[in-house]
């Protein structure tokens, strides 16, 4: 039996038991046998959730890119590492071998070094899904710089906030990007963002759409000529196990985005091990995750997890609807994709088109289907299972978070019997707990509570950049000695978990986490707005959509509400990005408040979701009369 590759259910239970009875010994073996180290660790794990502090593989030395690239060269040098599928299907796909990827990463690392980037510096990457994105991520890792990838759909303000929060020295971007039939002026967005970022010394610009852009003398450099001149060897920087590998921002319920910091060794071990098992990747398989590398799913399961296993990973630049809704299936057929990993929102959008596009394609290469990002509804699960998997490819409903680094609750395909809408069983080494309102653990099955994790796993984020106190407050204060996920979950009669959704003010729209506070802050900047409250409501494609209740300073009588709605959504687009736009905006005279003045979002949520029969007692509110008015005037 190999602990590294689980092949049936008894083996899962056996390995699982081992991993929780003696986690240190278990992870010691996995790390020892499946990775290359410059120096081994002195201690597998030390931890204290009250501080909180977690350290894995203490004092080990490594570079993650030696594990993702160099070690494969003797046996897989000519194997394709990355298949790049461009936005336009008429443009040829690129197959980048492990040797080529290694050379391109080394050249890029030399460019970074020439531009003064050193170990520990932060580099912000704002790129579309082109090979340079994966390459720049790996180049940062090779030189020991901490990458902070910002999804290229975020606005200039969102970008500058992130650049300044981690005090990045450099931005890597492109002239522009393709998105379906549109082009986006990425460099223009970067220029605008950098007006507020005094500490950026240099900007590297990849050419993608050949648009005319302005280059600031001394600051901006075209990437290609620098790469051409660079040397194709670069000795990887030796990193400590606990050195930060990257920062990735995620929305919280309040305040600015949280820069989650991930480690080098623990993150590597965890993403590689989960990738191997959750997708049952075999040597010649073609694996495709449709996420963007701007999100954690792309970091862990497009770049690091697959490459650490010497896999072939597909990077798709475009969107599922271009040139038509058959694009995903076209790519599956063209590259003979074996593992396909996507989000419920994409499945719902494609299911809406019927099976016409699906039926035109040969999907027989598929072996495993994955889903991630939000709870998958029953209908979408069955559509995926029947039409894409033809009932023979197991669906892995993988629950995890930016903070967890890798997949936490998931079936192991071909081992764990799946159940629609259930993420099923904890992954190896993961010890979940359901907690009640009083802070006690709910034992037994057929129960529901708040999902916590009792014991550290190697992939856990170590802190929030620059704000350890917030890390503690957000994740380790709600329940004693536990990591609190922010999600609710049910456990069924056999111990399967079903994630029921966020229990805080984070709303997941089309798989993107959005905190309500930053959106409300953006709205409140509008001169006509007095106050606002955002809640989520069910949406058949996006999962949840945003409903805004807004009070105006002059009651809005004299203003054109349609124009106001447009202006408000424009403000949100400018401050955060188009993903945070409101689907519905209701202007109201007042918002329901507690006697201490807190907005009662629970009530607003029920109204937005048409559940007015479940409002409960509203008589204790400061202003109970506004509730009926809001209901009467609902959109
Ligand atoms: C939600 C994405 C139900 C959950 C990897 C979590 C899910 C948040 C699932 C993290 C799933 C993710 N079933 N809900 N399979 N996967 N979620 O940080 O609410 O972008 O807390 O990480 O997405 O989103 P994040």
């Amino acid at each position: 039996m190999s602990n590294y590759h689980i092949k049936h259910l008894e083996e899962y239970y056996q390995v699982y038991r081992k991993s929780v009875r003696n986690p240190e010994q278990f992870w010691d073996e996995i790390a020892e046998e499946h990775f290359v180290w410059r120096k081994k660790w002195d201690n597998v794990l030390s931890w204290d959730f009250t501080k909180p502090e977690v350290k894995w593989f203490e004092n080990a030395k490594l570079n993650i890119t030696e594990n993702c690239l160099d070690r494969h060269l003797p046996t897989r040098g000519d194997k394709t590492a990355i298949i790049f599928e461009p936005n336009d299907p008429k443009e040829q796909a690129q197959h980048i071998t492990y040797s080529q990827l290694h050379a391109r990463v080394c050249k890029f690392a030399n460019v970074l070094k020439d531009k003064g980037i050193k170990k520990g510096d932060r580099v912000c990457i704002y790129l579309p899904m082109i090979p340079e994105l994966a390459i720049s991520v790996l180049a940062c890792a090779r030189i020991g710089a901490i990458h902070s990838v910002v999804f290229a759909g975020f606005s200039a303000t969102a970008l500058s906030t992130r650049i300044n929060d981690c005090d990045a020295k450099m931005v890597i971007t492109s002239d522009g990007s393709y998105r379906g039939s549109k082009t986006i002026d990425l460099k223009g967005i970067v220029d605008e963002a950098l007006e507020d970022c005094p500490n950026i010394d240099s900007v590297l610009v990849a050419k993608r759409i050949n648009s005319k852009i302005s280059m600031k003398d001394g600051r901006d450099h075209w990437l290609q000529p620098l790469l051409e001149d660079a040397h194709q060897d670069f000795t990887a920087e030796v990193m400590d196990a606990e050195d930060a590998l990257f920062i990735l921002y995620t929305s919280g319920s309040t305040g600015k985005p949280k820069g989650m910091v991930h480690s080098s060794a623990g993150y590597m071990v965890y993403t590689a091990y989960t990738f191997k098992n959750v997708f049952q990747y075999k040597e010649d398989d073609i694996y495709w995750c449709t996420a963007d590398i701007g999100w954690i799913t792309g970091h862990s399961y497009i770049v690091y997890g697959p490459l650490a296993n010497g896999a072939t990973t597909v990077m798709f630049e475009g969107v599922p609807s271009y040139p038509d809704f058959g694009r995903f299936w076209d790519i599956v057929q063209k590259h003979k994709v074996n593992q396909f990993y996507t989000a419920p929102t994409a499945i719902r959008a494609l299911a809406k088109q019927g099976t016409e596009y699906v039926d035109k394609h040969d999907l027989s290469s598929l072996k495993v289907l994955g889903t991630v990002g939000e709870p998958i509804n029953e209908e979408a699960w069955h559509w995926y299972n029947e039409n894409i998997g033809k009932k023979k490819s197991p669906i892995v409903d993988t629950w995890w978070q930016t903070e967890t680094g890798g997949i936490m609750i998931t079936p192991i395909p071909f081992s764990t019997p799946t159940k629609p809408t259930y993420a099923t069983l904890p992954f190896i080494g993961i010890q979940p707990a359901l907690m009640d309102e009083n802070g006690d653990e709910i034992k037994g099955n057929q129960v529901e509570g708040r999902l916590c994790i009792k014991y550290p796993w190697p992939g856990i984020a170590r802190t929030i950049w620059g704000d350890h106190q917030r890390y503690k407050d957000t994740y380790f204060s709600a329940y004693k000695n536990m990591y609190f996920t922010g999600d609710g979950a049910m456990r069924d009669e056999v111990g399967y978990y079903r994630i029921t959704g966020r229990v805080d003010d984070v709303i997941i729209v089309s798989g993107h986490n959005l905190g309500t506070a930053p959106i409300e802050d953006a709205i409140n900047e509008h001169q006509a707005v007095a106050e606002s409250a955002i809640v989520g409501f069910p949406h058949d494609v996006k999962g949840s959509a945003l409903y805004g209740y807004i009070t105006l300073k002059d009651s809005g009588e004299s203003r054109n509400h349609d124009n106001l709605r447009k202006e408000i959504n424009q403000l949100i687009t400018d401050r955060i990005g188009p993903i945070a736009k409101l689907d519905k905006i209701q202007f109201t005279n007042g918002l329901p408040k507690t006697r201490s003045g807190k907005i009662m979002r629970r009530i607003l949520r029920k109204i937005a979701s048409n559940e007015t029969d479940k409002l409960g007692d509203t008589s204790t509110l400061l202003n109970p009369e506004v509730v009926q008015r809001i209901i009467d005037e609902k959109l």
Side-chain angles (χ1 to χ4, degrees), residues 4-63:
Y4 192 72
H5 187 185
I6 293 150
K7 297 195 196 69
H8 51 84
L9 194 60
E10 295 97 274
E11 205 170 77
Y12 160 79
Y13 280 114
Q14 240 176 327
V15 179
Y16 181 77
R17 273 195 297 272
K18 190 166 161 186
S19 74
V20 300
R21 277 194 196 136
N22 197 339
E24 299 188 25
Q25 191 194 333
F26 176 78
W27 290 110
D28 184 80
E29 278 174 32
I30 295 287
E32 166 93 40
E33 288 167 22
H34 302 281
F35 300 89
V36 291
W37 304 90
R38 293 289 191 96
K39 174 183 169 290
K40 296 275 162 67
W41 43 97
D42 302 328
N43 184 30
V44 181
L45 169 67
S46 62
W47 67 290
D48 179 349
F49 275 175
T50 61
K51 281 185 177 167
E53 185 180 86
V54 178
K55 290 182 179 167
W56 282 93
F57 311 113
E58 246 173 301
N59 299 326
K61 305 285 177 201
L62 77 157
N63 188 289

Coordinates of all heavy atoms in Angstrom, one line a residue, residues 4-63:
Y4 N 0.8 7.5 -0.6 CA 0.7 8.6 -1.5 C -0.4 8.6 -2.4 O -1.0 9.6 -2.9 CB 2.0 8.8 -2.2 CG 2.1 10.2 -2.9 CD1 2.3 11.3 -2.2 CD2 2.0 10.3 -4.3 CE1 2.4 12.6 -2.8 CE2 2.1 11.5 -4.9 CZ 2.3 12.7 -4.2 OH 2.3 13.9 -4.8
H5 N -0.8 7.3 -2.8 CA -1.9 7.2 -3.8 C -2.9 6.2 -3.4 O -2.7 5.0 -3.3 CB -1.2 6.7 -5.1 CG -2.1 6.8 -6.3 ND1 -1.8 6.3 -7.5 CD2 -3.4 7.2 -6.4 CE1 -2.9 6.4 -8.3 NE2 -3.9 7.0 -7.6
I6 N -4.1 6.8 -3.0 CA -5.2 6.0 -2.5 C -6.0 5.4 -3.6 O -6.5 6.2 -4.4 CB -6.0 6.8 -1.5 CG1 -5.1 7.1 -0.3 CG2 -7.3 6.1 -1.0 CD1 -5.4 8.4 0.4
K7 N -6.3 4.1 -3.6 CA -7.0 3.5 -4.7 C -8.4 2.9 -4.4 O -9.1 2.5 -5.3 CB -6.1 2.6 -5.4 CG -4.9 3.2 -6.0 CD -4.2 2.3 -7.0 CE -2.8 2.7 -7.3 NZ -1.9 2.5 -6.2
H8 N -8.7 2.7 -3.1 CA -10.0 2.2 -2.8 C -10.4 2.7 -1.4 O -9.6 3.2 -0.6 CB -10.2 0.7 -3.0 CG -9.1 -0.1 -2.4 ND1 -9.2 -0.5 -1.1 CD2 -7.9 -0.5 -2.8 CE1 -8.1 -1.1 -0.8 NE2 -7.3 -1.2 -1.8
L9 N -11.7 2.4 -1.1 CA -12.3 3.0 0.1 C -11.7 2.5 1.4 O -11.4 3.3 2.3 CB -13.8 2.8 0.1 CG -14.6 3.6 1.1 CD1 -14.4 5.1 0.9 CD2 -16.1 3.3 1.1
E10 N -11.4 1.2 1.4 CA -10.8 0.7 2.7 C -9.4 1.4 2.9 O -9.0 1.7 4.0 CB -10.5 -0.8 2.7 CG -11.8 -1.7 2.6 CD -12.0 -2.1 1.2 OE1 -12.7 -1.3 0.4 OE2 -11.6 -3.2 0.8
E11 N -8.7 1.6 1.8 CA -7.4 2.2 1.8 C -7.6 3.6 2.4 O -6.8 4.1 3.2 CB -6.8 2.2 0.5 CG -5.3 2.3 0.5 CD -4.7 2.0 -0.9 OE1 -4.7 2.9 -1.7 OE2 -4.2 0.9 -1.1
Y12 N -8.6 4.3 1.9 CA -8.9 5.7 2.4 C -9.0 5.7 3.9 O -8.4 6.4 4.6 CB -10.1 6.3 1.7 CG -10.7 7.4 2.5 CD1 -10.1 8.7 2.5 CD2 -11.7 7.2 3.4 CE1 -10.6 9.7 3.3 CE2 -12.2 8.3 4.2 CZ -11.6 9.5 4.1 OH -12.1 10.5 4.9
Y13 N -9.9 4.8 4.4 CA -10.1 4.7 5.8 C -8.9 4.4 6.6 O -8.6 5.0 7.6 CB -11.3 3.7 6.2 CG -12.6 4.3 5.9 CD1 -13.5 3.8 5.0 CD2 -13.1 5.4 6.7 CE1 -14.7 4.4 4.7 CE2 -14.3 6.0 6.5 CZ -15.2 5.5 5.5 OH -16.4 6.0 5.3
Q14 N -8.1 3.4 6.1 CA -6.9 3.0 6.7 C -5.9 4.2 6.8 O -5.3 4.5 7.8 CB -6.2 1.9 5.9 CG -6.0 0.6 6.6 CD -5.5 -0.4 5.6 OE1 -5.8 -0.3 4.4 NE2 -4.6 -1.2 6.1
V15 N -5.7 4.8 5.7 CA -4.7 6.0 5.6 C -5.2 7.1 6.4 O -4.5 7.8 7.1 CB -4.4 6.4 4.1 CG1 -3.5 7.6 4.1 CG2 -3.9 5.2 3.3
Y16 N -6.5 7.4 6.4 CA -7.1 8.4 7.1 C -6.9 8.2 8.6 O -6.4 9.1 9.3 CB -8.6 8.6 6.9 CG -9.2 9.7 7.7 CD1 -9.0 11.0 7.2 CD2 -9.9 9.5 8.9 CE1 -9.5 12.1 8.0 CE2 -10.4 10.6 9.6 CZ -10.2 11.9 9.1 OH -10.7 12.9 9.9
R17 N -7.1 7.0 9.1 CA -6.9 6.7 10.5 C -5.5 7.0 10.9 O -5.2 7.6 11.9 CB -7.3 5.3 10.8 CG -8.8 5.2 11.2 CD -9.1 3.8 11.8 NE -8.9 2.7 10.9 CZ -9.8 2.2 10.1 NH1 -11.0 2.8 10.0 NH2 -9.5 1.2 9.3
K18 N -4.6 6.5 10.1 CA -3.2 6.7 10.4 C -2.8 8.2 10.4 O -2.1 8.7 11.3 CB -2.4 6.1 9.2 CG -1.0 5.9 9.4 CD -0.4 5.0 8.3 CE 1.1 5.1 8.2 NZ 1.6 4.3 7.1
S19 N -3.4 9.0 9.5 CA -3.1 10.4 9.4 C -3.6 11.2 10.6 O -3.1 12.2 10.9 CB -3.6 11.0 8.1 OG -5.0 11.1 8.2
V20 N -4.7 10.7 11.2 CA -5.1 11.5 12.4 C -4.6 10.9 13.7 O -4.5 11.6 14.7 CB -6.7 11.6 12.4 CG1 -7.2 12.3 11.2 CG2 -7.4 10.3 12.6
R21 N -4.3 9.6 13.7 CA -3.7 9.1 14.9 C -2.3 9.6 15.2 O -1.9 9.9 16.3 CB -3.6 7.5 14.9 CG -5.0 7.0 15.2 CD -4.8 5.5 15.5 NE -6.2 4.9 15.5 CZ -6.5 3.8 14.9 NH1 -5.6 3.1 14.2 NH2 -7.7 3.4 14.9
N22 N -1.5 9.6 14.1 CA -0.2 10.1 14.2 C 0.2 11.0 13.0 O 0.9 10.7 12.1 CB 0.8 8.9 14.3 CG 2.1 9.4 14.8 OD1 2.4 10.6 14.8 ND2 2.9 8.5 15.3
P23 N -0.4 12.3 13.1 CA -0.2 13.2 11.9 C 1.2 13.4 11.6 O 1.6 13.5 10.4 CB -0.9 14.4 12.4 CG -1.7 14.1 13.6 CD -1.2 12.8 14.2
E24 N 2.1 13.5 12.6 CA 3.4 13.9 12.4 C 4.2 12.8 11.6 O 4.9 13.1 10.6 CB 4.2 14.3 13.7 CG 3.5 15.4 14.3 CD 4.2 16.0 15.5 OE1 5.4 15.8 15.6 OE2 3.5 16.6 16.4
Q25 N 4.0 11.6 12.0 CA 4.6 10.5 11.4 C 4.1 10.4 9.9 O 4.8 10.2 9.0 CB 4.4 9.2 12.1 CG 5.2 8.1 11.6 CD 4.7 6.8 12.1 OE1 4.1 6.7 13.2 NE2 5.0 5.7 11.4
F26 N 2.8 10.6 9.8 CA 2.2 10.5 8.5 C 2.8 11.5 7.5 O 3.2 11.1 6.4 CB 0.7 10.6 8.6 CG 0.0 10.6 7.2 CD1 -0.2 9.4 6.6 CD2 -0.3 11.8 6.6 CE1 -0.7 9.4 5.3 CE2 -0.8 11.8 5.3 CZ -1.1 10.6 4.7
W27 N 2.8 12.8 7.9 CA 3.2 13.8 7.0 C 4.8 13.7 6.8 O 5.3 14.1 5.7 CB 2.8 15.2 7.4 CG 1.3 15.4 7.3 CD1 0.3 15.4 8.2 CD2 0.6 15.4 6.0 NE1 -0.9 15.6 7.7 CE2 -0.8 15.6 6.3 CE3 1.0 15.4 4.7 CZ2 -1.8 15.7 5.4 CZ3 0.0 15.5 3.7 CH2 -1.4 15.7 4.0
D28 N 5.4 13.3 7.8 CA 6.9 13.1 7.7 C 7.2 12.1 6.5 O 8.0 12.4 5.7 CB 7.4 12.5 9.0 CG 8.9 12.3 9.1 OD1 9.6 13.3 9.3 OD2 9.4 11.2 8.8
E29 N 6.4 11.0 6.5 CA 6.6 10.0 5.4 C 6.3 10.6 4.0 O 7.0 10.4 3.1 CB 5.8 8.8 5.7 CG 6.4 7.8 6.6 CD 5.4 6.7 7.0 OE1 4.6 6.3 6.1 OE2 5.5 6.2 8.1
I30 N 5.2 11.3 4.0 CA 4.8 11.8 2.7 C 5.8 12.8 2.2 O 6.3 12.8 1.0 CB 3.4 12.5 2.8 CG1 2.3 11.5 3.1 CG2 3.1 13.3 1.5 CD1 1.9 10.6 2.0
A31 N 6.3 13.7 3.1 CA 7.2 14.7 2.7 C 8.6 14.1 2.3 O 9.2 14.5 1.3 CB 7.4 15.7 3.8
E32 N 8.9 13.1 3.0 CA 10.2 12.5 2.8 C 10.3 11.8 1.5 O 11.3 11.9 0.7 CB 10.4 11.5 4.0 CG 11.6 10.5 3.8 CD 12.9 10.9 4.4 OE1 12.8 11.5 5.5 OE2 13.9 10.7 3.8
E33 N 9.2 11.1 1.2 CA 9.3 10.2 0.0 C 8.9 10.8 -1.3 O 9.3 10.3 -2.4 CB 8.3 9.0 0.2 CG 8.9 8.0 1.3 CD 7.9 7.0 1.8 OE1 6.9 6.8 1.0 OE2 8.0 6.5 2.9
H34 N 8.3 11.9 -1.3 CA 7.7 12.4 -2.6 C 8.2 13.8 -3.0 O 7.7 14.4 -4.0 CB 6.2 12.3 -2.6 CG 5.7 10.9 -2.3 ND1 5.7 10.0 -3.3 CD2 5.3 10.3 -1.1 CE1 5.3 8.9 -2.7 NE2 5.0 9.0 -1.5
F35 N 9.2 14.3 -2.3 CA 9.7 15.7 -2.7 C 11.2 15.7 -2.6 O 11.8 14.8 -2.0 CB 9.0 16.7 -1.7 CG 7.5 16.7 -1.8 CD1 6.8 15.9 -1.0 CD2 6.9 17.5 -2.7 CE1 5.4 15.8 -1.1 CE2 5.5 17.4 -2.9 CZ 4.7 16.6 -2.0
V36 N 11.7 16.8 -3.2 CA 13.2 16.9 -3.1 C 13.5 18.1 -2.1 O 12.8 19.2 -2.2 CB 13.9 17.1 -4.4 CG1 13.8 15.8 -5.2 CG2 13.3 18.3 -5.2
W37 N 14.4 17.9 -1.3 CA 14.7 18.9 -0.2 C 16.2 19.2 -0.3 O 17.0 18.3 -0.6 CB 14.4 18.3 1.2 CG 13.0 17.9 1.3 CD1 12.5 16.7 1.0 CD2 11.9 18.7 1.7 NE1 11.1 16.6 1.3 CE2 10.7 17.9 1.7 CE3 11.8 20.0 2.1 CZ2 9.5 18.4 2.0 CZ3 10.5 20.5 2.4 CH2 9.4 19.7 2.4
R38 N 16.6 20.5 0.0 CA 18.0 20.8 0.1 C 18.5 20.3 1.5 O 19.6 20.0 1.6 CB 18.2 22.3 0.0 CG 17.9 22.9 -1.4 CD 19.0 22.4 -2.4 NE 18.8 23.2 -3.7 CZ 19.5 24.3 -3.9 NH1 20.4 24.8 -3.1 NH2 19.3 24.9 -5.1
K39 N 17.6 20.4 2.4 CA 17.9 19.9 3.8 C 16.6 19.5 4.4 O 15.6 20.1 4.2 CB 18.5 21.1 4.6 CG 18.7 20.7 6.0 CD 19.3 22.0 6.8 CE 19.3 21.7 8.3 NZ 18.0 21.7 8.9
K40 N 16.6 18.3 5.1 CA 15.4 17.8 5.8 C 15.1 18.6 7.1 O 16.0 19.3 7.6 CB 15.6 16.3 6.1 CG 15.8 15.5 4.9 CD 14.4 15.0 4.3 CE 14.6 14.5 2.9 NZ 15.3 13.3 2.7
W41 N 13.9 18.5 7.6 CA 13.4 19.2 8.7 C 14.0 18.6 10.0 O 14.4 17.5 10.1 CB 11.9 19.2 8.8 CG 11.3 17.8 8.4 CD1 11.0 16.8 9.3 CD2 11.2 17.2 7.1 NE1 10.5 15.7 8.6 CE2 10.7 15.9 7.3 CE3 11.4 17.7 5.8 CZ2 10.4 15.1 6.2 CZ3 11.1 16.9 4.7 CH2 10.6 15.6 5.0
D42 N 13.9 19.5 11.1 CA 14.3 19.0 12.4 C 13.1 18.5 13.1 O 13.1 17.7 14.1 CB 14.9 20.1 13.2 CG 16.1 20.7 12.5 OD1 16.8 19.9 11.8 OD2 16.4 21.9 12.6
N43 N 11.9 19.1 12.8 CA 10.7 18.8 13.5 C 9.6 18.9 12.5 O 9.5 19.8 11.7 CB 10.6 19.9 14.6 CG 9.4 19.7 15.5 OD1 9.0 18.5 15.7 ND2 8.8 20.7 16.0
V44 N 8.6 17.9 12.5 CA 7.6 17.9 11.5 C 6.6 19.0 11.8 O 6.2 19.7 10.9 CB 6.8 16.5 11.5 CG1 5.8 16.6 10.4 CG2 7.8 15.4 11.3
L45 N 6.1 19.2 13.0 CA 5.1 20.1 13.3 C 5.2 20.7 14.7 O 5.4 20.0 15.6 CB 3.7 19.4 13.2 CG 2.5 20.1 13.7 CD1 2.2 21.3 12.8 CD2 1.2 19.2 13.7
S46 N 5.0 22.0 14.8 CA 4.8 22.6 16.1 C 3.6 23.6 15.9 O 3.5 24.3 14.9 CB 6.0 23.3 16.6 OG 6.4 24.4 15.8
W47 N 2.7 23.6 16.8 CA 1.5 24.4 16.6 C 0.9 24.8 17.9 O 1.1 24.2 19.0 CB 0.5 23.7 15.8 CG -0.1 22.5 16.4 CD1 0.5 21.3 16.7 CD2 -1.5 22.3 16.9 NE1 -0.4 20.4 17.2 CE2 -1.6 21.0 17.4 CE3 -2.6 23.2 16.9 CZ2 -2.8 20.5 17.9 CZ3 -3.8 22.7 17.4 CH2 -3.9 21.4 17.9
D48 N 0.2 25.9 17.8 CA -0.6 26.5 19.0 C -1.6 27.4 18.4 O -1.3 28.5 17.9 CB 0.4 27.3 19.9 CG -0.3 27.9 21.1 OD1 -1.5 27.8 21.1 OD2 0.4 28.4 22.0
F49 N -2.9 26.9 18.4 CA -4.0 27.7 17.8 C -4.3 28.9 18.6 O -5.1 29.7 18.2 CB -5.2 26.8 17.6 CG -5.2 26.0 16.3 CD1 -6.2 25.1 16.0 CD2 -4.2 26.2 15.3 CE1 -6.3 24.3 14.8 CE2 -4.2 25.4 14.1 CZ -5.3 24.5 13.9
T50 N -3.8 29.0 19.8 CA -4.2 30.2 20.6 C -3.4 31.4 20.3 O -3.8 32.5 20.4 CB -4.1 29.9 22.2 OG1 -2.7 29.6 22.4 CG2 -4.9 28.8 22.6
K51 N -2.2 31.1 19.7 CA -1.3 32.3 19.4 C -1.8 33.1 18.1 O -1.8 34.3 18.1 CB 0.1 31.9 19.1 CG 0.9 31.6 20.4 CD 2.3 31.3 20.0 CE 3.2 31.1 21.3 NZ 4.5 30.5 20.9
P52 N -2.2 32.5 17.1 CA -2.0 31.2 16.6 C -0.7 31.1 15.8 O -0.3 32.0 15.2 CB -3.2 31.0 15.6 CG -3.5 32.4 15.1 CD -3.1 33.3 16.2
E53 N -0.1 29.9 15.9 CA 1.1 29.6 15.2 C 1.2 28.2 14.7 O 0.8 27.3 15.5 CB 2.3 29.9 16.2 CG 3.7 29.8 15.5 CD 4.8 30.0 16.5 OE1 5.2 29.0 17.1 OE2 5.3 31.1 16.6
V54 N 1.5 28.0 13.5 CA 1.7 26.7 12.9 C 2.9 26.6 12.1 O 3.2 27.5 11.3 CB 0.5 26.4 12.0 CG1 0.6 25.0 11.4 CG2 -0.9 26.4 12.7
K55 N 3.8 25.6 12.4 CA 5.0 25.5 11.6 C 5.1 24.0 11.2 O 5.1 23.1 12.0 CB 6.2 25.8 12.4 CG 6.3 27.3 12.7 CD 7.6 27.6 13.5 CE 7.8 29.1 13.8 NZ 8.8 29.3 14.8
W56 N 5.3 23.8 9.9 CA 5.5 22.5 9.4 C 6.9 22.3 8.8 O 7.4 23.3 8.2 CB 4.5 22.2 8.2 CG 3.1 21.9 8.7 CD1 2.1 22.7 8.9 CD2 2.6 20.6 9.1 NE1 1.0 22.1 9.3 CE2 1.2 20.7 9.4 CE3 3.2 19.3 9.1 CZ2 0.4 19.7 9.8 CZ3 2.4 18.2 9.5 CH2 1.0 18.4 9.9
F57 N 7.5 21.2 9.0 CA 8.8 20.8 8.5 C 9.9 21.9 8.8 O 10.6 22.4 8.0 CB 8.7 20.7 6.9 CG 7.6 19.8 6.6 CD1 6.4 20.3 5.9 CD2 7.5 18.4 6.9 CE1 5.4 19.5 5.5 CE2 6.5 17.6 6.6 CZ 5.4 18.1 5.9
E58 N 9.9 22.2 10.1 CA 10.7 23.3 10.6 C 12.2 23.1 10.2 O 12.8 22.0 10.4 CB 10.6 23.3 12.1 CG 10.0 24.6 12.6 CD 9.8 24.5 14.1 OE1 9.0 23.6 14.5 OE2 10.3 25.4 14.8
N59 N 12.8 24.2 9.8 CA 14.2 24.3 9.4 C 14.5 23.4 8.1 O 15.7 23.3 7.8 CB 15.1 23.8 10.5 CG 15.0 24.8 11.7 OD1 14.7 26.0 11.5 ND2 15.1 24.2 12.9
A60 N 13.5 22.9 7.5 CA 13.8 22.3 6.2 C 14.2 23.4 5.2 O 13.8 24.5 5.3 CB 12.6 21.5 5.7
K61 N 15.0 23.0 4.1 CA 15.3 23.9 3.1 C 14.9 23.3 1.7 O 15.1 22.1 1.5 CB 16.8 24.2 3.1 CG 17.4 24.7 4.4 CD 17.1 26.1 4.7 CE 17.6 26.5 6.1 NZ 16.9 27.6 6.6
L62 N 14.4 24.2 0.9 CA 13.9 23.7 -0.4 C 13.6 24.9 -1.3 O 13.7 26.1 -0.9 CB 12.5 23.0 -0.2 CG 11.3 23.9 0.0 CD1 10.0 23.2 -0.4 CD2 11.2 24.4 1.5
N63 N 13.4 24.6 -2.6 CA 12.7 25.5 -3.4 C 11.6 24.8 -4.2 O 11.8 23.7 -4.8 CB 13.7 26.2 -4.4 CG 13.0 27.3 -5.2 OD1 12.2 27.1 -6.0 ND2 13.4 28.6 -4.9

